[in-house]
Structure formats: structure tokens, C-alpha cells
Amino acid sequence: MPRLSARLALAQETSAYSRVDPPCRYFGSCGGCSLQDLRYEDQLALKRQRLERLFSELDQPIPPIAIEGLDDPWRYRNRAEFTFGWQEDRLALGYHAAGSFSRIVDLEDCHLLPQAAMRVVREVHHLARESGLPPYHPKTHQGFFRFLLIRYSQMTGQVMLCVITTGGHREIIEALAHSVASRHPAVVGVSWGVSERLADVALPDSVSVVYGTDVLEDQIGPFRLQIKARSFLQPTNQLADRLYTALGEALASASAGVAWDLYCGLGLVTLYLSRTMRKVYGIDSEAEYVESARRHAQLNGVTNVEFRAGRVEEVLRDRRFWLEEAKPDVIVVDPPRAGLHAEALSGLLAARPKVLAYVSCNPQSLVRDLRELLRSFPRYRLRHVQAFDLFPQTNHMEALSVLDRVG
Ligand SMILES: C[S@@+](CC[C@H](N)C(=O)[O-])C[C@H]1O[C@@H](n2cnc3c(N)ncnc32)[C@H](O)[C@@H]1O
């Protein structure tokens, strides 16, 4: 029912736009993309209007909002997460059906993934069926095959896979891995993740490499990266470079100072800011990401950066260090969809940076947090808002906002 009302709301919101034929035959049944029947220019206009509407709730004049999209809004994704399931009595591999918790749409193709990656997905689908082992069912908790994670390097064309199953049958996964790699030389590594979790999430309890490597060589802008199967990376490298470059440009007024990159993930914002700032500190709660961020700094010869593992709201409690030794001129935050923890927000306010940038994949939580920030400290002025359509054909977007302290 909520799904139906969401569809009706979308139809109403987009009633002024003319419709085009969606190229994907699963449009409407697959829960993936819902904007495919709008021209790409209209998708961009819709997302910009949504952002303008949300920002108009702030008690401040808002700067003009621009949105940057992709030159080609198809086959742009560098990663995807597929789910195994049943379709009638056959093993299916695809995405969740619209509005369904357990039904999987068996996909021959996904127009968001490059053809080379899709060929590998079809091969795994075929081999999993051939194995005779059943897919997992999220209601009965019976079955073997659970998820397939795929990463594709837009720079090198390399592919890396992680097959997630319940336990046992290592020999089946090893045979599958060698078979897929022998037919698709772009596959540089296959990992096997085992998950006995009842929750329907692609989060393995343990991971081991069954073929090749667990590191994909990639690049965003000038920076070399080594990506693991589950690392967070923006979904398309070309526009990610534009986002981080625009962020660096918007912070140029505070260059040569100290910056914090909060929720730093693999350290990309840190690397981009290291080019103009004297020192950059990155913080992330995932120890594995922080390790990757350190490796990325080393790999790229960047020395004026330092990373800490821990939750932002906890790490910033050491006020003596953060407000004296590492006192920032600039803070960049890029939290997960839920937005900022109240204690993280108070840490930012205590630091009172000259410039504060907030990058977000969820404009609702972004505007909610900005409202709270401006209420507690009204001396910030919104200087720059820009959107990046990193997710064409879907309702998602990435937004960048920059505030200056005026007193
Ligand atoms: C949207 S990603 C940011 C990615 C990064 N800025 C980039 O551009 O690649 C959000 C990050 O927040 C981290 N995270 C989630 N909760 C956190 C917390 N309470 N404290 C610190 N990091 C957190 C996640 O591990 C993830 O890397």
C-alpha cells in the first residue's frame, strides 16, 4: 500500500513532464529505477526542484542551485548488489521486486551496469543454477546462495566478485569462481562471504578469497585506489571526481589551513583537500576503511594527512586535541543517510570552522541538520548548494552545501 501511494505521489509530482518509453523491460516490476520513463533533462530538473523546495524550508536566502548530471546516464555504475531467490521453482538472480521483501525479479540485464559486468553476472547466474544448490529464502531461512556483489573498474575494466552464501560447499564456490574467471579474464578476484544472519543484508560474517585477489585497482581523478568488495565508493567515478573537485573549489577561501574530513570512508575527500590544505584529519568508524584511507595516502604520495578510526561523536570528545592542536579552518561532513548524530553536531559547533561543507546522499537529513545547526549557531551563511546526479534513473542524488561563518 505505501508503495502504491509512493507511486501515485511520483506520478502527480511528474505530471507536467512528457513520458518516454523506458528501455528496461523490468521497469515497474523491479524495485530499482523509478524515473526511467522521464527524459534525462527532466529527471535533472525534477531533482533540482526537489532540492530547492527542501532548502526553501531554511530560514535563509538560498543561492541558485545547479545540478550536474552524467553525459551518458546509462550503464554508469561501478558496483551492484544482486540477490538470489526463487522464481517459481528456479533459482533467480536480480533485485527485489517493487514493494516486496522476498520476491526477486530474475534479471537478464540491468541497464545501470556496464555490459562487461552484466555478462559476468549472467555467467554466475548460470553456474549457480547448474550447481543444483538452492537459493536462500528470507522467510524460511533455508537455502544456500544469498547475494552477489560485483565491482567494475571504469578505469581498468577489471571485475571483482563476492558471492555470499550460507555455510558449507566451499568446493562449489571454488569451482564457480575458477569457471567464471576462465571464461571472463576481466575477473581479477572472487571472494566467498558466509552469512548465517537472519536479516536480509549482504553483510558476511567471514570472507575468504577463492580466486585471485580481494583488491580491485581503480582510480578517481588523479588518485589511485585499491577497492575491496564491500568498500564504500560513489557509484560512478567520473562524476565523483567532479563532486570532490567542486568541493575543493568551494573551500578554496580557507586553503592552507587545517581541515577535518568527517565520515571519511576510503579517504577521497581527504586526498582532494590535501592538495590545498596544510593538514587534513580523516575520521571514520570502520577500521578497515581507515586502513584503506592510510594505504591510499601512501599509494598517492600524500603525507599531510592523518586518519583516526572511531565514531565521530566519540572521537571528537577529546576536545583538548581537536580544539587546540587540530583546530580546523574547514570541516567537511559526509555522513550516512541518517545524517549527523546530535553529539557530532555539537562537536562541529564547538570547533566553529570558518567554512563548513556538508555532502549528503539524503537531502532530507541534510536540510534537517542544517536547520538545527543554523538554529544553534545563526552566524553561518549558506553560500553554495550544488547537486550531482550520481544515480540517474533513480530518485537519489548527492548534494553539496557550503556555509561560511560570518562572525
Ligand atoms: C557516505 S560514506 C562517506 C564516504 C566518503 N566521504 C567518500 O566520499 O567516499 C559515510 C561513511 O560514514 C562512516 N560512518 C558511519 N557512521 C559513522 C560514525 N558514527 N562515525 C564515523 N563514521 C561513520 C561509514 O563507515 C562510511 O564510510
Side-chain angles (χ1 to χ4, degrees):
M1 199 59 183
R3 181 75 208 175
L4 186 63
S5 58
R7 274 200 206 175
L8 284 175
L10 180 63
Q12 221 164 27
E13 189 189 10
T14 57
S15 60
Y17 300 117
S18 48
R19 266 25 200 193
V20 293
D21 283 336
C24 173
R25 68 181 156 112
Y26 307 102
F27 177 72
S29 56
C30 171
C33 326
S34 45
L35 300 185
Q36 272 197 30
D37 61 343
L38 296 183
R39 290 183 313 159
Y40 189 48
E41 307 87 276
D42 291 338
Q43 293 182 26
L44 292 175
L46 176 72
K47 291 182 183 182
R48 187 171 48 71
Q49 282 160 10
R50 284 177 175 170
L51 212 52
E52 280 171 351
R53 226 170 17 236
L54 274 170
F55 271 84
S56 68
E57 291 170 14
L58 292 176
D59 203 13
Q60 275 217 356
I62 54 167
I65 300 179
I67 181 161
E68 209 168 311
L70 280 174
D71 298 337
D72 180 358
W74 296 105
R75 304 210 180 270
Y76 61 85
R77 286 196 65 104
N78 55 20
R79 66 189 154 99
E81 178 183 310
F82 291 88
T83 305
F84 289 96
W86 288 101
Q87 190 166 70
E88 286 149 19
D89 56 352
R90 278 160 73 82
L91 175 143
L93 179 59
Y95 301 134
H96 282 268
S100 170
F101 157 68
S102 56
R103 206 156 53 77
I104 299 302
V105 177
D106 202 20
L107 295 173
E108 262 297 297
D109 194 8
C110 167
H111 290 249
L112 302 193
L113 268 186
Q115 299 275 18
M118 261 332 294
R119 281 194 285 276
V120 174
V121 173
R122 282 193 289 269
E123 185 78 40
V124 173
H125 189 179
H126 168 73
L127 292 168
R129 255 188 199 163
E130 293 252 292
S131 77
L133 289 171
Y136 182 82
H137 197 294
K139 282 187 182 154
T140 62
H141 303 295
Q142 302 292 314
F144 181 66
F145 287 106
R146 297 192 72 170
F147 303 98
L148 171 67
L149 313 183
I150 180 162
R151 301 203 81 122
Y152 173 81
S153 164
Q154 292 166 343
M155 185 70 188
T156 60
Q158 289 181 348
V159 173
M160 191 168 67
L161 301 173
C162 179
V163 184
I164 302 180
T165 68
T166 52
H169 303 296
R170 186 183 180 94
E171 72 294 349
I172 297 278
I173 296 297
E174 279 176 354
L176 181 150
H178 283 83
S179 184
V180 78
S182 70
R183 287 179 212 174
H184 299 269
V187 174
V188 292
V190 183
S191 301
W192 178 33
V194 174
S195 169
E196 299 288 356
R197 290 168 198 255
L198 297 184
D200 196 26
V201 287
L203 204 59
D205 306 314
S206 63
V207 181
S208 55
V209 178
V210 286
Y211 173 84
T213 167
D214 63 346
V215 169
L216 186 72
E217 298 285 338
D218 206 354
Q219 180 147 350
I220 291 192
F223 297 111
R224 270 186 66 197
L225 303 174
Q226 291 183 340
I227 309 294
K228 297 238 180 164
R230 292 198 37 81
S231 306
F232 176 89
L233 192 67
Q234 295 291 0
T236 171
N237 300 31
Q238 174 212 340
L239 208 49
D241 172 50
R242 284 293 308 132
L243 163 68
Y244 299 128
T245 303
L247 173 65
E249 286 164 1
L251 301 180
S253 62
S255 64
V258 171
W260 295 354
D261 172 13
L262 305 184
Y263 311 89
C264 68
L266 307 186
L268 275 152
V269 170
T270 308
L271 294 178
Y272 274 77
L273 296 189
S274 73
R275 303 189 291 187
T276 51
M277 304 300 294
R278 179 163 53 80
K279 176 96 190 211
V280 191
Y281 294 89
I283 301 177
D284 199 278
S285 56
E286 292 285 325
E288 187 186 312
Y289 287 3
V290 169
E291 222 175 89
S292 292
R294 289 190 182 120
R295 200 173 50 247
H296 288 150
Q298 222 170 29
L299 204 61
N300 291 285
V302 173
T303 53
N304 57 337
V305 299
E306 208 174 300
F307 295 97
R308 300 282 165 100
R311 301 178 72 77
V312 165
E313 57 276 22
E314 288 163 14
V315 176
L316 292 186
R317 276 187 205 148
D318 178 4
R319 298 265 158 118
R320 196 202 53 73
F321 178 77
W322 293 106
L323 300 185
E324 289 172 26
E325 271 178 65
K327 188 162 174 46
D329 300 283
V330 168
I331 298 181
V332 178
V333 296
D334 184 1
R337 289 190 70 72
L340 294 174
H341 188 283
E343 211 181 325
L345 199 65
S346 78
L348 306 190
L349 290 173
R352 298 196 179 169
K354 291 190 200 105
V355 190
L356 176 64
Y358 193 139
V359 180
S360 172
C361 61
N362 183 352
Q364 270 89 8
S365 57
L366 163 67
V367 170
R368 182 204 63 209
D369 289 345
L370 289 183
R371 194 184 305 118
E372 187 52 32
L373 194 134
L374 292 169
R375 197 185 57 73
S376 312
F377 199 78
R379 288 200 196 136
Y380 281 97
R381 291 286 171 274
L382 197 55
R383 182 197 354 132
H384 185 85
V385 183
Q386 192 172 358
F388 295 85
D389 189 23
L390 287 153
F391 311 90
Q393 321 306 331
T394 78
N395 274 307
H396 301 287
M397 67 176 124
E398 199 74 13
L400 159 66
S401 52
V402 183
L403 298 102
D404 289 330
R405 198 187 66 203
V406 291

